[in-house]
Amino acid sequence: MRIVGLLMWSLAALADAGSSSSGSGGMCLNGGTSVPSLTAGKHMFCLCADGFEGKRCETVKAADCYEGVGLYYKGSESKSESGRTCEQWDSDTRERHLSSDVKSGRHNYCRNLFYKRRPWCYVWKNQQLVWEYCEIPRCGFVSSPPLPPTNEPQPAAEVTCGQRTRRKQMKIVGGTVATVESHPWVATIFWLSKSNERVFRCGGSLIADCWVLTAAHCFPDNSYGTERNFSVTLGKNALNETDLTVEQNFSVAQIIIHEEFDNSEGNFNNDIALLKLRATHTKCAEESPSVRTVCLPPPQHSLPPGFTCEIAGYGKEKHGLWYKSQYLREAQVNLLADDVCRHRDYYGNMITDNMFCASTPDWSQDACEGDSGGPMVCEVGNRLFQFGVISWGDGCAKDFRPGVYTKVTNYNQWIEEKTGLTFTTAGAMSPHN
């Protein structure tokens, strides 16, 4: 599901932000703004940009971290995250973007030009000049406590969640074909059309033997109370192929949409839903190499920006195609800082506390239409935890338009209440004692 996007700043406006304030007659330097008096309208003082201080914003603060996306970072870090030494900025870049910088830009310090996600620089790699991000921490970021250790003895039900029997084939949009054994928790949700045709609707994830987690927007208003029209298949490699030796099929006993799901602003707030599978002979999903539950992280747990996670689904391989992928595909994406995703160059105030964003640095991989409801999983302690539900975005693999995901850790209590199950310390779900 995709929505119409927003406007972007021009690079010219961005360059102007780094020059002296025209309204102060050059009084304020390094992007500082002149604050006039209310009566005479004359310059009173300079409001300095991040990273600067002093009467005219002429002094560079000691910078061992960056604010926001590091637009005004003026520190002296000069190595990329791979440990390579940064190259000096060329004369054209200095003239256009670094004239008000330290030493007028005659240096090799990391900077955030062209509004990337954080400070970066050019380095030589394999005899080519390429850009890489720099290993500079964000100011004020506090990491979450680690997830529970996985080497402690656990009951059998807890040991297998988030574990796969076959390693993913990493080399969706920009992704590669995958085997279901590498994503055994992926569920395919079908609905029965008026012509009795079984049509793929959305992805989902198996969180307990009788429960699938998915997105609320997969079920429009007219699908309430029509559980009989929906079915779920686990262990499916291809939409147009059936392999009864590995697939497990279920009818849907109950559809539970989050009570506060709201798309009035076009941003799918609280985009989360549960499907209860109808048990066959008192049992639902049976664990196998192709079918396994995913772990769920503790409440409010978060991972740092840049952390690599993975998505999987049967969505379109490219925005604008009329058909979806027939095979399960996978891709890697990196988590974005919340303030970056909320920036007006990205999605602004469309992002709520119930969402987060992820993409790749070059915008080449992303979820797309048809992937909705599927899981974003992140590997912690050799197990996969589902941190996100694929929700929405503007286009697919589009610059400054990352994928948006429902923040699963906001809904632990809701999931427990609706399923009647309890989260274990290892991230699995089990019946109440």
Side-chain angles (χ1 to χ4, degrees), residues 18-77:
S19 64
S20 298
S21 174
S22 59
S24 65
M27 181 66 70
C28 303
L29 304 176
N30 298 311
T33 303
S34 173
V35 179
S37 64
L38 294 177
T39 53
K42 294 183 178 180
H43 169 78
M44 287 184 62
F45 62 90
C46 292
L47 183 64
C48 298
D50 290 345
F52 294 95
E53 58 189 356
K55 188 174 181 179
R56 299 182 61 205
C57 307
E58 73 280 4
T59 306
V60 180
K61 290 182 180 178
D64 54 2
C65 62
Y66 67 90
E67 301 278 355
V69 294
L71 184 62
Y72 295 113
Y73 171 77
K74 293 297 184 290
S76 58
E77 178 59 55

Short mmCIF file of all heavy atoms in Angstrom, two decimals, residues 18-77:
data_model
loop_
_atom_site.label_atom_id
_atom_site.label_comp_id
_atom_site.label_asym_id
_atom_site.label_seq_id
_atom_site.Cartn_x
_atom_site.Cartn_y
_atom_site.Cartn_z
N GLY A 18 23.83 27.04 4.82
CA GLY A 18 25.19 27.06 5.34
C GLY A 18 25.89 28.39 5.16
O GLY A 18 27.01 28.57 5.58
N SER A 19 25.27 29.37 4.49
CA SER A 19 25.90 30.65 4.25
C SER A 19 25.53 31.64 5.34
O SER A 19 24.67 31.39 6.18
CB SER A 19 25.49 31.18 2.88
OG SER A 19 24.10 31.42 2.87
N SER A 20 26.15 32.83 5.31
CA SER A 20 25.86 33.85 6.29
C SER A 20 24.44 34.35 6.13
O SER A 20 23.89 34.38 5.04
CB SER A 20 26.83 35.02 6.11
OG SER A 20 28.15 34.60 6.32
N SER A 21 23.82 34.73 7.22
CA SER A 21 22.46 35.23 7.19
C SER A 21 22.41 36.56 6.45
O SER A 21 23.06 37.52 6.82
CB SER A 21 21.94 35.42 8.62
OG SER A 21 20.69 36.04 8.60
N SER A 22 21.62 36.61 5.32
CA SER A 22 21.55 37.82 4.52
C SER A 22 20.93 38.96 5.29
O SER A 22 21.25 40.12 5.10
CB SER A 22 20.74 37.55 3.24
OG SER A 22 19.44 37.11 3.57
N GLY A 23 20.01 38.63 6.22
CA GLY A 23 19.33 39.66 6.97
C GLY A 23 20.22 40.32 8.01
O GLY A 23 19.85 41.33 8.60
N SER A 24 21.38 39.77 8.28
CA SER A 24 22.27 40.33 9.30
C SER A 24 23.47 41.02 8.69
O SER A 24 24.38 41.43 9.39
CB SER A 24 22.73 39.24 10.25
OG SER A 24 23.54 38.32 9.55
N GLY A 25 23.47 41.13 7.35
CA GLY A 25 24.58 41.78 6.68
C GLY A 25 25.90 41.06 6.91
O GLY A 25 26.95 41.68 7.02
N GLY A 26 25.85 39.75 7.01
CA GLY A 26 27.06 38.98 7.25
C GLY A 26 27.44 38.92 8.71
O GLY A 26 28.51 38.44 9.06
N MET A 27 26.57 39.42 9.58
CA MET A 27 26.87 39.43 11.01
C MET A 27 26.95 38.02 11.58
O MET A 27 27.82 37.72 12.39
CB MET A 27 25.79 40.24 11.75
CG MET A 27 26.01 40.35 13.24
SD MET A 27 27.47 41.31 13.66
CE MET A 27 26.91 42.95 13.19
N CYS A 28 26.03 37.14 11.17
CA CYS A 28 25.98 35.77 11.70
C CYS A 28 26.60 34.81 10.70
O CYS A 28 26.21 34.78 9.53
CB CYS A 28 24.54 35.37 11.99
SG CYS A 28 23.70 36.48 13.14
N LEU A 29 27.53 34.01 11.16
CA LEU A 29 28.26 33.08 10.29
C LEU A 29 27.75 31.66 10.44
O LEU A 29 27.00 31.35 11.37
CB LEU A 29 29.75 33.15 10.62
CG LEU A 29 30.40 34.54 10.55
CD1 LEU A 29 31.86 34.46 11.00
CD2 LEU A 29 30.29 35.12 9.16
N ASN A 30 28.18 30.80 9.53
CA ASN A 30 27.95 29.35 9.65
C ASN A 30 26.48 28.97 9.81
O ASN A 30 26.11 28.12 10.61
CB ASN A 30 28.76 28.77 10.82
CG ASN A 30 30.24 28.95 10.62
OD1 ASN A 30 30.76 28.63 9.55
ND2 ASN A 30 30.93 29.47 11.62
N GLY A 31 25.61 29.64 9.04
CA GLY A 31 24.20 29.29 9.07
C GLY A 31 23.44 29.90 10.22
O GLY A 31 22.26 29.59 10.43
N GLY A 32 24.06 30.82 10.97
CA GLY A 32 23.38 31.47 12.07
C GLY A 32 22.33 32.46 11.57
O GLY A 32 22.43 32.98 10.46
N THR A 33 21.34 32.72 12.41
CA THR A 33 20.25 33.62 12.04
C THR A 33 20.26 34.85 12.92
O THR A 33 20.35 34.75 14.15
CB THR A 33 18.88 32.90 12.21
OG1 THR A 33 18.89 31.73 11.40
CG2 THR A 33 17.74 33.81 11.76
N SER A 34 20.14 36.02 12.29
CA SER A 34 20.10 37.27 13.04
C SER A 34 18.74 37.46 13.69
O SER A 34 17.71 37.33 13.03
CB SER A 34 20.39 38.44 12.10
OG SER A 34 20.19 39.68 12.77
N VAL A 35 18.72 37.74 14.97
CA VAL A 35 17.48 38.01 15.70
C VAL A 35 17.40 39.52 15.95
O VAL A 35 18.22 40.09 16.68
CB VAL A 35 17.43 37.25 17.04
CG1 VAL A 35 16.14 37.59 17.78
CG2 VAL A 35 17.54 35.75 16.79
N PRO A 36 16.42 40.22 15.31
CA PRO A 36 16.33 41.68 15.45
C PRO A 36 15.56 42.09 16.71
O PRO A 36 14.83 41.30 17.29
CB PRO A 36 15.58 42.09 14.19
CG PRO A 36 14.68 40.92 13.93
CD PRO A 36 15.45 39.69 14.36
N SER A 37 15.73 43.35 17.09
CA SER A 37 14.95 43.87 18.20
C SER A 37 13.52 44.10 17.75
O SER A 37 13.25 44.30 16.55
CB SER A 37 15.55 45.19 18.69
OG SER A 37 15.45 46.18 17.67
N LEU A 38 12.58 44.06 18.67
CA LEU A 38 11.17 44.21 18.32
C LEU A 38 10.81 45.64 17.96
O LEU A 38 9.84 45.89 17.25
CB LEU A 38 10.30 43.76 19.50
CG LEU A 38 10.38 42.28 19.86
CD1 LEU A 38 9.53 41.98 21.09
CD2 LEU A 38 9.93 41.41 18.70
N THR A 39 11.60 46.61 18.43
CA THR A 39 11.26 48.02 18.20
C THR A 39 11.97 48.57 16.97
O THR A 39 11.35 48.87 15.94
CB THR A 39 11.60 48.86 19.44
OG1 THR A 39 12.96 48.61 19.80
CG2 THR A 39 10.69 48.47 20.59
N ALA A 40 13.29 48.63 17.02
CA ALA A 40 14.03 49.24 15.91
C ALA A 40 14.27 48.28 14.75
O ALA A 40 14.58 48.70 13.64
CB ALA A 40 15.37 49.77 16.43
N GLY A 41 14.14 46.99 15.02
CA GLY A 41 14.37 46.01 13.96
C GLY A 41 15.84 45.79 13.65
O GLY A 41 16.17 45.13 12.67
N LYS A 42 16.72 46.32 14.49
CA LYS A 42 18.15 46.14 14.27
C LYS A 42 18.64 44.82 14.87
O LYS A 42 18.03 44.29 15.78
CB LYS A 42 18.92 47.32 14.87
CG LYS A 42 18.66 48.65 14.18
CD LYS A 42 19.51 49.75 14.78
CE LYS A 42 19.28 51.08 14.06
NZ LYS A 42 20.12 52.17 14.64
N HIS A 43 19.76 44.36 14.36
CA HIS A 43 20.34 43.11 14.84
C HIS A 43 20.65 43.16 16.33
O HIS A 43 21.24 44.14 16.82
CB HIS A 43 21.63 42.81 14.06
CG HIS A 43 22.44 41.70 14.65
ND1 HIS A 43 22.11 40.38 14.46
CD2 HIS A 43 23.56 41.71 15.42
CE1 HIS A 43 22.99 39.62 15.09
NE2 HIS A 43 23.88 40.40 15.68
N MET A 44 20.20 42.12 17.05
CA MET A 44 20.48 42.04 18.48
C MET A 44 21.52 40.96 18.78
O MET A 44 22.54 41.21 19.41
CB MET A 44 19.19 41.75 19.28
CG MET A 44 18.25 42.93 19.38
SD MET A 44 16.82 42.54 20.41
CE MET A 44 17.59 42.22 21.98
N PHE A 45 21.24 39.75 18.31
CA PHE A 45 22.17 38.66 18.54
C PHE A 45 21.98 37.59 17.48
O PHE A 45 21.02 37.63 16.69
CB PHE A 45 21.98 38.05 19.95
CG PHE A 45 20.63 37.44 20.18
CD1 PHE A 45 20.40 36.10 19.89
CD2 PHE A 45 19.58 38.20 20.69
CE1 PHE A 45 19.16 35.53 20.11
CE2 PHE A 45 18.33 37.64 20.90
CZ PHE A 45 18.12 36.30 20.61
N CYS A 46 22.88 36.63 17.45
CA CYS A 46 22.82 35.54 16.47
C CYS A 46 22.29 34.27 17.13
O CYS A 46 22.75 33.88 18.21
CB CYS A 46 24.21 35.26 15.89
SG CYS A 46 24.85 36.60 14.86
N LEU A 47 21.35 33.65 16.46
CA LEU A 47 20.87 32.32 16.86
C LEU A 47 21.68 31.32 16.06
O LEU A 47 21.52 31.20 14.83
CB LEU A 47 19.38 32.17 16.58
CG LEU A 47 18.72 30.86 17.00
CD1 LEU A 47 18.78 30.71 18.52
CD2 LEU A 47 17.29 30.80 16.52
N CYS A 48 22.58 30.61 16.71
CA CYS A 48 23.55 29.76 16.00
C CYS A 48 22.96 28.41 15.61
O CYS A 48 22.12 27.84 16.32
CB CYS A 48 24.80 29.54 16.87
SG CYS A 48 25.67 31.08 17.26
N ALA A 49 23.44 27.90 14.49
CA ALA A 49 23.07 26.55 14.05
C ALA A 49 23.77 25.53 14.92
O ALA A 49 24.76 25.84 15.60
CB ALA A 49 23.46 26.36 12.59
N ASP A 50 23.26 24.30 14.90
CA ASP A 50 23.89 23.23 15.67
C ASP A 50 25.36 23.11 15.30
O ASP A 50 25.72 23.15 14.12
CB ASP A 50 23.20 21.89 15.39
CG ASP A 50 21.81 21.82 15.98
OD1 ASP A 50 21.50 22.67 16.82
OD2 ASP A 50 21.04 20.93 15.57
N GLY A 51 26.20 22.99 16.30
CA GLY A 51 27.63 22.80 16.05
C GLY A 51 28.44 24.07 16.15
O GLY A 51 29.67 24.01 16.03
N PHE A 52 27.76 25.25 16.34
CA PHE A 52 28.48 26.51 16.41
C PHE A 52 28.08 27.30 17.65
O PHE A 52 26.99 27.13 18.19
CB PHE A 52 28.22 27.35 15.16
CG PHE A 52 28.76 26.75 13.90
CD1 PHE A 52 27.96 25.97 13.08
CD2 PHE A 52 30.08 26.94 13.54
CE1 PHE A 52 28.46 25.41 11.92
CE2 PHE A 52 30.59 26.38 12.38
CZ PHE A 52 29.80 25.62 11.56
N GLU A 53 28.96 28.18 18.06
CA GLU A 53 28.68 29.07 19.18
C GLU A 53 29.49 30.34 19.00
O GLU A 53 30.25 30.50 18.03
CB GLU A 53 29.03 28.38 20.50
CG GLU A 53 30.48 27.93 20.61
CD GLU A 53 30.73 27.07 21.84
OE1 GLU A 53 29.81 26.89 22.63
OE2 GLU A 53 31.87 26.60 21.99
N GLY A 54 29.33 31.29 19.95
CA GLY A 54 30.05 32.55 19.85
C GLY A 54 29.12 33.67 19.43
O GLY A 54 28.01 33.45 18.95
N LYS A 55 29.60 34.92 19.57
CA LYS A 55 28.79 36.10 19.28
C LYS A 55 28.31 36.11 17.84
O LYS A 55 27.18 36.50 17.54
CB LYS A 55 29.61 37.36 19.58
CG LYS A 55 28.79 38.64 19.51
CD LYS A 55 29.63 39.82 19.97
CE LYS A 55 28.79 41.11 19.91
NZ LYS A 55 29.57 42.28 20.37
N ARG A 56 29.17 35.68 16.93
CA ARG A 56 28.79 35.64 15.50
C ARG A 56 28.69 34.20 14.99
O ARG A 56 28.70 33.96 13.80
CB ARG A 56 29.83 36.41 14.68
CG ARG A 56 29.96 37.88 15.04
CD ARG A 56 30.98 38.56 14.15
NE ARG A 56 30.58 38.49 12.74
CZ ARG A 56 31.43 38.55 11.71
NH1 ARG A 56 32.74 38.66 11.95
NH2 ARG A 56 31.00 38.51 10.48
N CYS A 57 28.59 33.23 15.91
CA CYS A 57 28.55 31.80 15.54
C CYS A 57 29.84 31.42 14.82
O CYS A 57 29.83 30.57 13.92
CB CYS A 57 27.34 31.48 14.65
SG CYS A 57 25.76 32.02 15.33
N GLU A 58 30.94 32.04 15.22
CA GLU A 58 32.20 31.83 14.53
C GLU A 58 33.00 30.67 15.10
O GLU A 58 33.96 30.19 14.48
CB GLU A 58 33.05 33.11 14.60
CG GLU A 58 33.68 33.41 15.96
CD GLU A 58 32.71 34.04 16.96
OE1 GLU A 58 31.51 34.19 16.63
OE2 GLU A 58 33.14 34.41 18.06
N THR A 59 32.59 30.15 16.27
CA THR A 59 33.37 29.12 16.94
C THR A 59 32.72 27.75 16.77
O THR A 59 31.51 27.60 16.98
CB THR A 59 33.51 29.43 18.45
OG1 THR A 59 34.05 30.74 18.60
CG2 THR A 59 34.41 28.41 19.13
N VAL A 60 33.53 26.78 16.40
CA VAL A 60 33.03 25.41 16.25
C VAL A 60 33.02 24.73 17.61
O VAL A 60 34.03 24.73 18.32
CB VAL A 60 33.92 24.61 15.28
CG1 VAL A 60 33.39 23.19 15.14
CG2 VAL A 60 33.98 25.30 13.93
N LYS A 61 31.87 24.19 17.98
CA LYS A 61 31.80 23.44 19.23
C LYS A 61 32.61 22.16 19.12
O LYS A 61 32.77 21.60 18.04
CB LYS A 61 30.34 23.06 19.55
CG LYS A 61 29.45 24.21 19.94
CD LYS A 61 28.06 23.67 20.26
CE LYS A 61 27.11 24.78 20.66
NZ LYS A 61 25.74 24.26 20.93
N ALA A 62 33.10 21.69 20.25
CA ALA A 62 33.74 20.38 20.26
C ALA A 62 32.69 19.36 19.86
O ALA A 62 31.65 19.25 20.49
CB ALA A 62 34.28 20.07 21.65
N ALA A 63 32.92 18.65 18.75
CA ALA A 63 31.87 17.79 18.19
C ALA A 63 32.34 16.35 18.13
O ALA A 63 33.14 15.99 17.28
CB ALA A 63 31.49 18.28 16.80
N ASP A 64 31.87 15.54 19.06
CA ASP A 64 32.16 14.11 19.00
C ASP A 64 30.90 13.31 18.72
O ASP A 64 30.88 12.09 18.81
CB ASP A 64 32.80 13.63 20.31
CG ASP A 64 31.96 13.98 21.53
OD1 ASP A 64 30.87 14.56 21.36
OD2 ASP A 64 32.41 13.67 22.65
N CYS A 65 29.82 14.02 18.38
CA CYS A 65 28.56 13.38 17.99
C CYS A 65 27.83 14.36 17.07
O CYS A 65 28.23 15.51 16.93
CB CYS A 65 27.71 13.03 19.21
SG CYS A 65 27.19 14.46 20.19
N TYR A 66 26.74 13.89 16.43
CA TYR A 66 25.99 14.78 15.54
C TYR A 66 24.52 14.81 15.93
O TYR A 66 23.98 13.84 16.46
CB TYR A 66 26.15 14.35 14.08
CG TYR A 66 25.52 13.02 13.73
CD1 TYR A 66 24.19 12.94 13.29
CD2 TYR A 66 26.24 11.83 13.81
CE1 TYR A 66 23.61 11.73 12.98
CE2 TYR A 66 25.67 10.62 13.50
CZ TYR A 66 24.35 10.58 13.07
OH TYR A 66 23.77 9.36 12.76
N GLU A 67 23.89 15.95 15.68
CA GLU A 67 22.46 16.13 15.96
C GLU A 67 21.66 15.83 14.70
O GLU A 67 22.10 16.12 13.59
CB GLU A 67 22.18 17.57 16.39
CG GLU A 67 22.94 18.03 17.62
CD GLU A 67 22.28 17.58 18.91
OE1 GLU A 67 21.18 17.00 18.83
OE2 GLU A 67 22.86 17.81 19.99
N GLY A 68 20.45 15.28 14.89
CA GLY A 68 19.57 15.05 13.74
C GLY A 68 20.21 14.15 12.71
O GLY A 68 20.58 13.01 13.00
N VAL A 69 20.39 14.68 11.48
CA VAL A 69 21.08 13.91 10.45
C VAL A 69 22.50 14.43 10.24
O VAL A 69 23.17 14.03 9.29
CB VAL A 69 20.30 13.96 9.11
CG1 VAL A 69 18.97 13.27 9.24
CG2 VAL A 69 20.13 15.39 8.62
N GLY A 70 22.95 15.32 11.12
CA GLY A 70 24.31 15.80 11.04
C GLY A 70 24.53 16.89 10.02
O GLY A 70 25.65 17.11 9.54
N LEU A 71 23.46 17.62 9.68
CA LEU A 71 23.56 18.67 8.67
C LEU A 71 24.57 19.73 9.08
O LEU A 71 25.30 20.27 8.25
CB LEU A 71 22.19 19.31 8.45
CG LEU A 71 22.08 20.37 7.37
CD1 LEU A 71 22.42 19.77 6.02
CD2 LEU A 71 20.69 20.98 7.36
N TYR A 72 24.65 20.03 10.39
CA TYR A 72 25.56 21.06 10.88
C TYR A 72 26.73 20.47 11.68
O TYR A 72 27.36 21.16 12.45
CB TYR A 72 24.80 22.08 11.74
CG TYR A 72 23.78 22.84 10.94
CD1 TYR A 72 22.42 22.67 11.17
CD2 TYR A 72 24.19 23.73 9.95
CE1 TYR A 72 21.49 23.37 10.41
CE2 TYR A 72 23.26 24.42 9.19
CZ TYR A 72 21.91 24.25 9.43
OH TYR A 72 20.99 24.94 8.68
N TYR A 73 27.00 19.20 11.46
CA TYR A 73 28.15 18.60 12.12
C TYR A 73 29.43 19.25 11.62
O TYR A 73 29.66 19.34 10.41
CB TYR A 73 28.19 17.09 11.86
CG TYR A 73 29.48 16.44 12.33
CD1 TYR A 73 29.68 16.16 13.68
CD2 TYR A 73 30.50 16.12 11.43
CE1 TYR A 73 30.87 15.58 14.12
CE2 TYR A 73 31.68 15.54 11.87
CZ TYR A 73 31.86 15.27 13.22
OH TYR A 73 33.02 14.71 13.65
N LYS A 74 30.25 19.75 12.53
CA LYS A 74 31.50 20.42 12.15
C LYS A 74 32.68 19.85 12.92
O LYS A 74 33.63 20.56 13.23
CB LYS A 74 31.38 21.93 12.40
CG LYS A 74 30.36 22.62 11.49
CD LYS A 74 30.75 22.52 10.02
CE LYS A 74 29.79 23.28 9.13
NZ LYS A 74 28.46 22.66 9.06
N GLY A 75 32.60 18.57 13.25
CA GLY A 75 33.70 17.92 13.95
C GLY A 75 34.84 17.58 13.00
O GLY A 75 34.80 17.87 11.80
N SER A 76 35.83 16.92 13.52
CA SER A 76 37.04 16.63 12.73
C SER A 76 37.24 15.15 12.46
O SER A 76 38.35 14.72 12.12
CB SER A 76 38.27 17.20 13.44
OG SER A 76 38.38 16.65 14.76
N GLU A 77 36.18 14.33 12.63
CA GLU A 77 36.30 12.91 12.28
C GLU A 77 36.60 12.80 10.79
O GLU A 77 35.95 13.43 9.95
CB GLU A 77 35.01 12.17 12.62
CG GLU A 77 35.01 10.69 12.24
CD GLU A 77 36.12 9.93 12.93
OE1 GLU A 77 36.20 9.99 14.17
OE2 GLU A 77 36.92 9.28 12.22
#
